[in-house]
Amino acid sequence: MLLTSLILLLALLAAALPVAAALGTLGLLLDKIYSSMPLTLALGEVAWSSSKDFLLVSIPMFVLLGEILLRAGVAERMYDAMVKWLSWMPGGLMHSNIGACAIFAATSGSSVATAATVGTVALPLVEKHGYSERLFLGTLAAGGTLGILIPPSINIIIYAVLTDTSIPRLYLAGIIPGLGMALLFILMVAAFCMAKPALGGKPMSATWAERIRSLVHLVPPLGIFLVVVGSIYAGLATPTEAASLGVVAALGLAWAFGKLSFAMMKEVLENTMRTTAMVMLIIIAAYFLNFVISAIGLTTMLTDYIAGLGLSKFEMLVAVVIFYLLLGCFMETLSMMITTIPIVAPVMFGLGFDPVWFGVVLVILIEMALITPPVGLNLFVVQSLRSRGSLNDVIAGSVPFVGVMIVMILLLGLFPAIALWLPGLFG
């Protein structure tokens, strides 16, 4: 049964079906093959129950927030400030890419929006300053992944809904690992460029006066972060309400920058509805698939098989890391989370892993899937911003960053307090 399900899934994905269609079709096929009753009769109830959760309303709100910021001119100003402060290091603008991604991630909650926004601003500068294009592209693709670890994060909300874990605690747990990973990215780029200076392009510099003046451009994104995350921890708003407050603040910024118009809002709303429809369709299809595999006994079979392996906690963690590395090569991140967490999370919790800690580890594994071929979404996003060259350039530039993410997971395993200290501090 397990082998049949895996073969069917890979065949559907290989047929280039949209992810939601592939998951839904797999559920229908497994129902026909293995179920003694028509499970499709429950499809309406599954669709309703999977989409009525109040927390899920935050998803279109965060998508809308990112769309507004993308068109309000915040990214260009923020990137300019990062250039002033970080481009003096070996690697120059590549550090600005990572820094800008980290800051924009703290406002949009989306890896795709982060990579697309910063990439749009940064890519025209590659040839102008003589950078290694592959490594430059890698900083954009990998830097964009920070959008699902540094709060607010749409993927953390999905994990919280699936595992009934506290969103505020998960948000706190993601801050230090997210900033730590950004720092590791910067250190790796600096080491590469020190070993081979030609990778780092022409050196750039800025006066302290220019740097101090540029700080004003960091106020809007940090202000949005404080509005969204601060309102949650001040007890003033739920995550969904905080996302709505962030949208209001973003609209205020767009108006202040003279970017707010009917044409701009029409484009923002169209893209938000398109993205939200895609996300919700994947959620509904994945929930139906989970319902089918539970009803036919596949979930119990797989859980019993994993438990019967007799692996230790560390061995199971290694197995999970390898599992997600391989799965991330074939599945889109959101569908991967929804289809696997209901199976993997109970096993890990049963072995004694903290749900908040495991949530951070899982999100980093999902980040890897964003930059591993052939389905890594950020790879395609960055490639779509280029006017020439092949996807192989983006892939080659992103590979070293996968290694950094594995190092971060190792550090989290050795020092769980990296993720758990802040949640423990605030209770």
Side-chain angles (χ1 to χ4, degrees):
M1 187 187 296
L2 179 60
L3 181 61
T4 302
S5 302
L6 183 59
I7 292 173
L8 285 172
L9 176 60
L10 292 177
L12 290 167
L13 292 174
L17 283 177
V19 173
L23 296 178
T25 303
L26 178 60
L28 294 173
L29 291 173
L30 294 178
D31 174 25
K32 290 293 184 184
I33 298 171
Y34 294 110
S35 177
S36 59
M37 62 186 76
L39 298 176
T40 50
L41 295 177
L43 183 55
E45 175 61 28
V46 171
W48 170 249
S49 61
S50 63
S51 56
K52 70 177 183 178
D53 196 312
F54 180 65
L55 279 173
L56 293 179
V57 180
S58 62
I59 293 177
M61 289 294 104
F62 280 123
V63 174
L64 181 59
L65 172 60
E67 290 286 342
I68 294 171
L69 291 176
L70 177 62
R71 291 163 179 80
V74 173
E76 292 87 343
R77 294 174 171 85
M78 177 186 65
Y79 189 80
D80 180 66
M82 287 292 99
V83 170
K84 297 289 194 303
W85 283 94
L86 298 177
S87 60
W88 59 271
M89 293 187 288
L93 291 177
M94 290 187 280
H95 301 300
S96 305
N97 294 346
I98 296 167
C101 283
I103 293 179
F104 196 81
T107 59
S108 72
S110 166
S111 287
V112 172
T114 300
T117 302
V118 178
T120 301
V121 179
L123 274 177
L125 303 175
V126 174
E127 290 187 9
K128 181 179 178 181
H129 295 282
Y131 284 92
S132 161
E133 189 166 16
R134 288 188 168 186
L135 188 58
F136 196 94
L137 294 168
T139 61
L140 293 172
T145 66
L146 298 170
I148 65 173
L149 183 57
I150 298 176
S153 164
I154 294 172
N155 293 69
I156 283 179
I157 291 172
I158 297 294
Y159 174 86
V161 171
L162 292 172
T163 60
D164 195 25
T165 307
S166 164
I167 291 179
R169 286 178 60 82
L170 283 167
Y171 273 0
L172 282 173
I175 292 175
I176 294 178
L179 295 177
M181 197 144 65
L183 179 60
L184 289 177
F185 285 172
I186 287 174
L187 291 175
M188 187 197 72
V189 170
F192 277 14
C193 293
M194 288 172 69
K196 192 174 181 181
L199 297 175
K202 301 173 186 174
M204 301 179 66
S205 62
T207 66
W208 278 103
E210 290 174 329
R211 290 172 182 163
I212 293 171
R213 283 197 301 269
S214 72
L215 287 176
V216 69
H217 299 315
L218 299 180
V219 173
L222 292 178
I224 295 287
F225 175 80
L226 290 176
V227 166
V228 174
V229 178
S231 62
I232 295 174
Y233 295 109
L236 300 176
T238 65
T240 302
E241 293 164 345
S244 303
L245 289 173
V247 169
V248 173
L251 287 171
L253 284 176
W255 174 78
F257 293 153
K259 300 288 186 178
L260 191 61
S261 66
F262 285 110
M264 175 253 200
M265 286 307 300
K266 178 176 180 292
E267 188 176 359
V268 162
L269 292 173
E270 283 179 353
N271 286 339
T272 299
M273 287 189 288
R274 188 178 296 112
T275 302
T276 302
M278 177 193 70
V279 170
M280 292 308 300
L281 192 58
I282 290 173
I283 288 175
I284 292 170
Y287 264 90
F288 175 66
L289 177 59
N290 285 336
F291 169 72
V292 171
I293 64 176
S294 296
I296 64 177
L298 184 58
T299 301
T300 304
M301 181 189 302
L302 184 57
T303 305
D304 291 344
Y305 173 75
I306 294 172
L309 293 174
L311 299 179
S312 66
K313 283 182 65 174
F314 177 75
E315 290 170 337
M316 181 59 74
L317 180 60
V318 172
V320 167
V321 170
I322 295 172
F323 169 70
Y324 276 102
L325 272 173
L326 295 175
L327 196 62
C329 295
F330 303 101
M331 289 188 72
E332 185 271 336
T333 54
L334 184 60
S335 55
M336 184 165 62
M337 288 185 72
I338 298 171
T339 52
T340 61
I341 287 176
I343 299 171
V344 174
V347 174
M348 301 303 284
F349 299 164
L351 289 171
F353 288 100
D354 185 281
V356 173
W357 178 89
F358 182 66
V360 173
V361 171
L362 184 70
V363 168
I364 295 175
L365 290 171
I366 297 299
E367 286 183 318
M368 290 187 206
L370 286 166
I371 56 173
T372 50
V375 189
L377 193 55
N378 276 23
L379 301 176
F380 292 100
V381 169
V382 173
Q383 175 62 22
S384 70
L385 301 175
R386 306 172 70 202
S387 58
R388 57 179 177 78
S390 72
L391 183 65
N392 291 336
D393 295 329
V394 191
I395 294 172
S398 301
V399 167
F401 296 93
V402 174
V404 172
M405 292 177 182
I406 293 174
V407 169
M408 176 54 72
I409 291 176
L410 179 62
L411 290 174
L412 284 166
L414 295 173
F415 309 103
I418 295 174
L420 298 178
W421 178 69
L422 269 181
L425 192 64
F426 286 86

